[in-house]
Amino acid sequence: MFEYTLVGGLVASGVDAYLLHVTTMPSVAYIARVDDFDCGIMISVSHNPYYDNGNLKTEKGGLQRNVRSS
C-alpha cells in the first residue's frame, strides 16, 4: 500500500514513476544509471528491529543513499 501511495504522490507532482516491484537494490541502481533516471527509490522492510529497515535512494549516476526510518 505504501508503494502505491508513494507513486501516486510522485505522479501527482509531475514525476514519471516506474515500478520494478520485488527486485534487488543493485538492479535499481543499474536501471537508474543505464536509463539515465534522476533517482531510484527502494522500499525495504524486514523482520528485524525497526532501525534495520529503511528506504534506499539511488541518485543520478547510481550513487546510493540509505534513508533510515526512525
Side-chain angles (χ1 to χ4, degrees):
M1 183 164 51
F2 179 71
E3 174 185 31
Y4 294 109
T5 303
L6 176 62
V7 169
L10 291 170
V11 170
S13 298
V15 175
D16 292 328
Y18 300 90
L19 297 176
L20 299 178
H21 299 286
V22 178
T23 191
T24 63
M25 189 59 214
S27 68
V28 173
Y30 175 79
I31 294 296
R33 187 177 71 251
V34 299
D35 288 344
D36 200 31
F37 291 163
D38 290 326
C39 74
I41 299 171
M42 174 175 261
I43 303 163
S44 68
V45 297
S46 73
H47 63 280
N48 294 323
Y50 72 91
Y51 47 80
D52 286 341
N53 296 321
N55 301 314
L56 299 171
K57 178 179 179 250
T58 302
E59 297 178 352
K60 192 170 185 100
L63 178 65
Q64 295 180 13
R65 179 180 302 169
N66 189 3
V67 182
R68 293 274 180 195
S69 54
S70 52

